């Protein structure tokens, strides 16, 4: 679960805080503006997250509780915002806080894409970075890339996830279930 704070209008101070599972984020569109710092998670931070999820699942095998990360703070973008940024159709959310967690969860889901497809969840959520289109290219075709600092760290995180899943091959499905089933 990700705690998602959604802001309608910053000026009106209409805030709502909703708990959303990763499953509920599938199909959402997230925009990462330039003011967000770049992706800098280390291999150790990725491994710590994966091990934490694994430990949580082993302690809660029946999904009676949900796994919760720190908050993700977003603002629903206006139609004018999405047109100015050429984001295309659909509802978009500007990520105010939590882009590194959101990106890491996306990378985990991307690594488990084949299992997601088997469970009839073919669509992940969308991440679009103002900073670089190369990141989106990487998401579509994850190959090692160190041409930009963000890509280096994202590529390294993805390789770390794949290696962790290779070492914990018996946990792939349980990891996915923790994200998708435990609500």
């Amino acid at each position: 679960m990700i705690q998602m704070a959604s802001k309608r209008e910053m000026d009106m101070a209409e805030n709502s805080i909703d708990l959303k599972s990763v499953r509920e984020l599938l199909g959402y569109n997230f925009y990462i503006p330039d003011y967000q710092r770049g992706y800098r998670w280390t291999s150790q931070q990725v491994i710590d997250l994966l091990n934490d999820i694994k430990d949580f699942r082993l302690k809660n095998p029946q999904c009676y509780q949900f796994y919760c990360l720190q908050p993700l703070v977003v603002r629903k973008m206006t139609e004018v915002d999405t047109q100015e940024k050429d984001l295309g159709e659909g509802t978009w959310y500007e990520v105010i806080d939590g882009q590194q967690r959101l990106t890491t969860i996306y990378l985990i889901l991307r690594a488990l894409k084949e299992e997601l497809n088997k469970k009839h969840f073919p669509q992940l959520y969308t991440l679009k970075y103002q900073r670089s289109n190369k990141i989106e290219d990487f998401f579509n075709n994850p190959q090692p890339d160190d041409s930009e600092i963000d890509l280096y760290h994202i590529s390294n995180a993805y390789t770390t996830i794949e290696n962790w899943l290779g070492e914990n091959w018996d946990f792939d499905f349980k990891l996915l279930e923790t994200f998708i089933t435990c609500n």
Side-chain angles (χ1 to χ4, degrees), residues 62 83 94 168:
Q62 302 301 319
Q83 288 174 354
E94 179 179 343
N168 295 275

Side-chain angles (χ1 to χ4, degrees), residues 2-6 16-18 20 25 28 30 72 74 93:
I2 293 179
Q3 188 175 354
M4 187 167 151
S6 174
S16 68
I17 297 176
D18 302 313
K20 296 215 181 270
L25 297 181
Y28 272 62
F30 296 102
L72 168 65
V74 300
Y93 295 88

Side-chain angles (χ1 to χ4, degrees), residues 112-128:
L112 295 169
K113 186 93 168 97
E114 189 175 313
E115 289 298 322
L116 272 170
N117 288 337
K118 288 179 190 175
K119 291 289 187 186
H120 306 291
F121 292 102
Q123 183 179 9
L124 303 179
Y125 48 83
T126 301
L127 291 177
K128 181 158 182 71

